[in-house]
């Protein structure tokens, strides 16, 4: 059994949360078929909240639904990767400039503590925790940017960006995990630099390096 039964409440949202977590944690690999009957049995719910949840996840881009073929976990194509990478660069370069203008001593300490925690988990070989902290680090930057419209855009893209980060972490070899965590020290140092160009250049490099790892791990058949 991949999923655990759900408690009472808003079942469609809970189903979506459960399946989303399973995808992010790698329990459902890209391309995996999601059978409504199986999901309903594992979660202990009817087919109605399952269908509603799958529709929600399809809107987020996490799954693909096709007539007569059902649902499957979305597979990232090289084109989608390039589009998401280029969009992230534009958004997050804008974000770091905003963060530089608003960064407090408390926020500096918070971000540094996240990076130190990430490096500790990387040293222990804990891929899942590194991914979690990596995602939280970038989400905290978006919050610190304090820009309503960017926040709305990021909310819409959150699942896709999360999938990007998970794929980038999954593409790491065990010996590369510590280096990946250390790149966040470099990124944070650049954000703390008074020159906005330094932070923007490092953010672009940070995102593009992750995209290169993902691109190298994509199956050749996933071109379009």
């Amino acid at each position: 059994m991949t999923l655990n039964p759900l408690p009472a409440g808003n079942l469609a949202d809970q189903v979506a949360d459960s399946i989303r977590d399973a995808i992010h944690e790698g329990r459902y690999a890209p391309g995996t078929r999601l059978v409504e009957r199986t999901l309903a049995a594992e979660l202990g719910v009817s087919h109605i909240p399952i269908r509603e949840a799958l529709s929600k996840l399809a809107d987020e881009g996490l799954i693909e639904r096709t007539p007569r073929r059902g649902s499957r976990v979305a597979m990232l194509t090289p084109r989608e990767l390039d589009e998401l990478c280029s969009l992230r660069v534009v958004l997050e370069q804008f974000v770091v400039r905003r963060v530089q203008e608003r960064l407090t001593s408390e926020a500096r300490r918070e971000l540094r503590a996240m990076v130190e925690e990430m490096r500790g988990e990387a040293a222990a070989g804990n891929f899942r925790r590194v991914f979690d902290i990596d995602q939280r680090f970038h989400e905290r930057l978006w919050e610190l940017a304090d820009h309503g419209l960017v926040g709305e855009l990021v909310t819409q893209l959150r699942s896709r960006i999360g999938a990007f980060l998970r794929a980038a972490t999954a593409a790491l070899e065990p010996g590369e995990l510590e280096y990946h965590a250390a790149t966040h020290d470099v990124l944070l140092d650049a954000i703390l630099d008074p020159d906005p160009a330094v932070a923007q250049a490092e953010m672009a490099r940070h995102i593009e390096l992750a995209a290169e790892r993902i691109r190298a791990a994509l199956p050749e058949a996933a071109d379009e």
Side-chain angles (χ1 to χ4, degrees), residues 64-95:
E64 300 169 348
R65 306 184 79 185
T66 54
R68 297 183 297 278
R69 298 183 65 182
S71 303
R72 68 172 185 169
V73 180
M75 297 181 68
L76 192 64
T77 67
R79 176 174 177 172
E80 290 167 342
L81 174 61
D82 289 343
E83 289 179 354
L84 182 56
C85 176
S86 60
L87 183 57
R88 276 198 69 199
V89 168
V90 172
L91 285 175
E92 299 211 39
Q93 283 185 324
F94 176 76
V95 163

Side-chain angles (χ1 to χ4, degrees), residues 53-63 156 160:
L54 292 177
S55 179
K56 178 181 178 66
L57 295 174
D59 290 341
E60 295 177 9
L62 274 185
I63 69 169
Q156 294 173 15
R160 290 178 182 267

